[in-house]
Amino acid sequence: LAETYEARAARSKRRSVLLSDPDMHSADVQAASRWYQWCLQVVMLTYQNHFNHQMLEQDKPLTSTPSFDPSTLPRFFSIDVITSLFYNAATFFSGHAQYQYAVPLLQRALDLLRPGADSGKEECICRSSTLMSHLANAAVETSDLPAAEKWAIDGLALAKKFPRNVDCLSSFIALTYDLGVVYEAAGKVDSARLQYRQAAEVAGVTGDNGAQELAATALERIK
């Protein structure tokens, strides 16, 4: 339901003569927000209760924040489903500049994928790089440049491991561009130009016209 209302809001935006994004006053956007929040609350309360039950069995203190270690999830919770929910909700909230909600969701999804990424699983590594690209972008949008640089560098290290993977390739372009934004803001024009040029070249090869245009605009700006 959340995704359905989100899609309806996007269609309404395309039909509108206004160029701005639909805001939180839109009925469809509000409905999507309510359903995303409902899903997240159900998941988190269920996980919290299950996690604290495990703590009681092990004579460990209860906690208000579960570890997000995949081994502590209830059996009926799929890592893929939970990380997808967190990612989709985070993308929705980011699209409406609600980064205070998006960033924690992206970080928790990253926690769930970390064991698989650490063990070298391609899918987990490339999905993690995608999450880091969104974290880097959120940091850029909130002017947290140190965090943006950290996420971009860490994400690129993962994306480079599987350059033929579609997710790794897409996140490589986004992370390279975001690193260019960081360098540009820091006055490192030559370094920024190098990142923008690389993002534009890779985007051109993959046919990502939107990313290529964005990088080209950045290059034009710092000529």
Side-chain angles (χ1 to χ4, degrees):
L1 278 171
E3 291 177 355
T4 298
Y5 281 114
E6 184 180 5
R8 278 180 47 169
R11 287 197 297 271
S12 296
K13 175 191 173 185
R14 288 195 294 269
R15 290 195 301 266
S16 175
V17 296
L18 299 175
L19 297 179
S20 59
D21 289 337
D23 58 29
M24 294 306 293
H25 295 296
S26 158
D28 286 333
V29 172
Q30 287 184 345
S33 180
R34 283 196 303 272
W35 282 109
Y36 272 127
Q37 291 181 55
W38 183 85
C39 291
L40 291 167
Q41 287 172 357
V42 169
V43 166
M44 288 306 303
L45 285 173
T46 303
Y47 179 30
Q48 180 71 57
N49 290 335
H50 176 78
F51 184 82
N52 277 332
H53 181 71
Q54 290 180 316
M55 295 299 100
L56 285 173
E57 289 182 337
Q58 300 171 27
D59 290 326
K60 294 181 179 179
L62 303 183
T63 175
S64 59
T65 305
S67 66
F68 288 91
D69 182 325
S71 65
T72 66
L73 289 176
R75 291 182 182 178
F76 48 86
F77 273 10
S78 159
I79 294 176
D80 287 341
V81 171
I82 301 304
T83 53
S84 294
L85 169 61
F86 287 1
Y87 173 78
N88 290 341
T91 300
F92 169 78
F93 290 126
S94 292
H96 299 283
Q98 294 184 311
Y99 300 108
Q100 72 274 25
Y101 302 135
V103 169
L105 290 170
L106 292 168
Q107 291 174 330
R108 298 295 78 78
L110 199 58
D111 289 339
L112 290 170
L113 291 175
R114 183 167 289 112
D118 289 346
S119 66
K121 293 182 179 178
E122 178 177 342
E123 181 183 8
C124 292
I125 286 174
C126 291
R127 289 178 69 186
S128 294
S129 72
T130 298
L131 292 170
M132 289 182 181
S133 73
H134 285 269
L135 284 163
N137 185 67
V140 165
E141 294 295 332
T142 54
S143 300
D144 188 351
L145 297 182
E149 182 176 22
K150 175 190 180 299
W151 288 121
I153 291 173
D154 290 350
L156 283 169
L158 294 181
K160 290 176 181 177
K161 291 184 178 183
F162 298 99
R164 294 186 178 182
N165 182 289
V166 173
D167 288 336
C168 271
L169 195 55
S170 295
S171 61
F172 176 86
I173 297 169
L175 290 160
T176 301
Y177 177 85
D178 284 334
L179 195 55
V181 173
V182 171
Y183 290 150
E184 182 182 355
K188 301 177 181 178
V189 178
D190 289 340
S191 296
R193 185 179 295 110
L194 180 64
Q195 298 300 320
Y196 289 145
R197 185 176 294 125
Q198 188 172 23
E201 290 174 353
V202 177
V205 171
T206 60
D208 189 339
N209 296 329
Q212 186 178 22
E213 183 178 347
L214 197 63
T217 300
L219 285 169
E220 184 68 22
R221 184 174 62 243
I222 61 172
K223 277 200 313 186

